[in-house]
Amino acid sequence: MKIKEYRAQFIQELLPIYDAGESESFFYLILEDKQNLKRIDLALNPDLAFSNDEIELWNFILAELKKEIPIQYILGKTSFYGLEFEVNSNVLIPRPETEELIEWIIDCFVPRNDTKLKVLDIGTGSGCIAISLAKNISNAQVFAIDVSEKALVKAQKNASINEVNVTFLEKNILETEDLKQQFDLIVSNPPYVRELEKEEIKKNVLDNEPHLALFVDDNDALIFYKKIAELAQKNLSPNGQLFFEINQYLGKEMLELLKKTGFKNIELRKDIYGNDRMIRAVI
């Protein structure tokens, strides 16, 4: 079968679930990953065809997409901040909003490249924050912790893929009383989606991504932020900085929490969609 004919069939079968633009983007992502072909290659060679074995593989992927399994899990990888990360159902798929957090941190710390920086990422998951910072802040010594052993296995693999040194530690932050050392930067994108917000979550996320890394109890939505802020008060060096990605509905509450915990120079920022999404505070 000619690839362009299969493309039309592929998009048509996904239309009840995804719009045409998203279905087409899936097609070209898979085409590049599995056939090493780009859109331009298909345009220049309209008679390119799939073998029977290739059609079998594509039909399997199509069936997985129709189950609303995320394309990143199907391909086993995704891009984040210009780097490639392996992902599976043990880790969250990195989000574009988190790239904005990375950009903010780099803008704050790269100008200080004459000083060694000690960085801690709490709840690292795939390692996307820790690894991106290690890759882009040359003077940073980066540590990362997570409660999930399986997530840490994937994070360690991603550090190897991206050729950076990150020290990964298995730790439950809610049961931690002291981080044992001082850091210049602590960053976290902890679980922050309340149970009451589940109806806003897309089915492909809700059914496939790890709930441990997503959800918190409605009655204690800031549990991770409170704990991390308290630890940061003990374990940030003078003028150290704390960065969080946050629940868009709890920006005001986060400002109050950080003030109450003793931080100063607190700044709340919106993401590209206009939602309160990240916050910085100085010790």
Side-chain angles (χ1 to χ4, degrees):
M1 178 184 283
K2 288 184 178 180
I3 294 178
K4 66 177 185 179
E5 294 171 355
Y6 188 90
R7 172 186 168 278
Q9 174 187 318
F10 179 94
I11 292 171
Q12 186 63 38
E13 289 199 32
L14 288 179
L15 280 181
I17 307 167
Y18 304 99
D19 64 37
E22 194 168 16
S23 300
E24 185 178 51
S25 73
F26 290 162
F27 177 83
Y28 285 111
L29 276 172
I30 301 162
L31 189 69
E32 184 168 356
D33 184 71
K34 300 302 181 186
Q35 318 296 148
N36 199 28
L37 294 172
K38 296 183 182 294
R39 183 189 295 256
I40 186 65
D41 296 316
L42 197 54
L44 294 174
N45 301 279
D47 292 328
L48 284 172
F50 284 144
S51 68
N52 289 337
D53 286 344
E54 287 169 337
I55 288 175
E56 188 174 338
L57 172 62
W58 275 79
N59 285 343
F60 171 78
I61 294 172
L62 178 59
E64 294 290 278
L65 285 169
K66 288 163 80 170
K67 295 175 190 173
E68 299 191 55
I69 296 172
I71 184 70
Q72 296 92 337
Y73 286 162
I74 295 171
L75 298 180
K77 63 183 181 181
T78 191
S79 294
F80 178 84
Y81 208 74
L83 303 173
E84 184 173 295
F85 289 85
E86 288 190 0
V87 291
N88 59 20
S89 58
N90 296 310
V91 300
L92 290 181
I93 297 165
R95 301 305 201 268
E97 300 95 307
T98 308
E99 292 181 310
E100 296 181 69
L101 177 65
I102 296 293
E103 189 71 29
W104 189 10
I105 293 170
I106 289 171
D107 286 346
C108 290
F109 282 92
V110 165
R112 295 168 50 174
N113 60 12
D114 58 334
T115 307
K116 286 289 182 185
L117 295 171
K118 193 173 283 189
V119 176
L120 175 64
D121 173 27
I122 298 176
T124 196
S126 67
C128 64
I129 292 177
I131 292 164
S132 297
L133 294 177
K135 195 75 173 178
N136 288 278
I137 306 177
S138 60
N139 57 316
Q141 181 184 13
V142 182
F143 298 79
I145 64 178
D146 203 283
V147 70
S148 167
E149 180 183 1
K150 291 180 179 179
L152 289 172
V153 169
K154 187 57 68 178
Q156 184 63 69
K157 178 71 180 298
N158 285 326
S160 298
I161 290 169
N162 288 290
E163 300 180 326
V164 295
N165 291 318
V166 177
T167 301
F168 293 103
L169 303 167
E170 185 179 345
K171 190 183 292 289
N172 184 336
I173 199 64
L174 296 179
E175 296 175 358
T176 301
E177 295 306 319
D178 195 297
L179 296 170
K180 306 296 185 185
Q181 55 184 312
Q182 298 298 107
F183 296 93
D184 301 291
L185 162 65
I186 295 177
V187 57
S188 184
N189 177 16
Y192 61 64
V193 181
R194 293 172 291 182
E195 294 287 333
L196 63 87
E197 292 156 2
K198 272 189 175 180
E199 62 185 31
E200 299 179 24
I201 305 296
K202 290 183 178 179
K203 186 176 184 296
N204 62 341
V205 173
L206 198 59
D207 290 352
N208 294 282
E209 299 199 47
H211 286 203
L212 179 68
L214 281 171
F215 295 105
V216 288
D217 189 278
D218 293 346
N219 298 315
D220 201 2
L222 300 182
I223 182 172
F224 287 96
Y225 297 97
K226 291 174 189 172
K227 184 65 178 185
I228 294 168
E230 289 167 3
L231 289 169
Q233 278 290 335
K234 296 179 187 177
N235 296 108
L236 274 175
S237 57
N239 297 313
Q241 297 185 43
L242 174 63
F243 284 80
F244 284 123
E245 182 171 323
I246 68 169
N247 185 315
Q248 63 180 323
Y249 302 117
L250 299 175
K252 180 181 176 183
E253 289 82 355
M254 281 300 305
L255 285 168
E256 292 172 354
L257 168 65
L258 291 173
K259 286 176 185 174
K260 188 182 295 184
T261 314
F263 285 91
K264 58 186 179 182
N265 298 332
I266 304 166
E267 182 181 357
L268 177 66
R269 282 194 179 184
K270 297 183 183 298
D271 62 21
I272 53 174
Y273 306 109
N275 299 316
D276 288 338
R277 182 63 64 195
M278 59 206 91
I279 198 164
R280 176 181 70 159
V282 180
I283 194 73

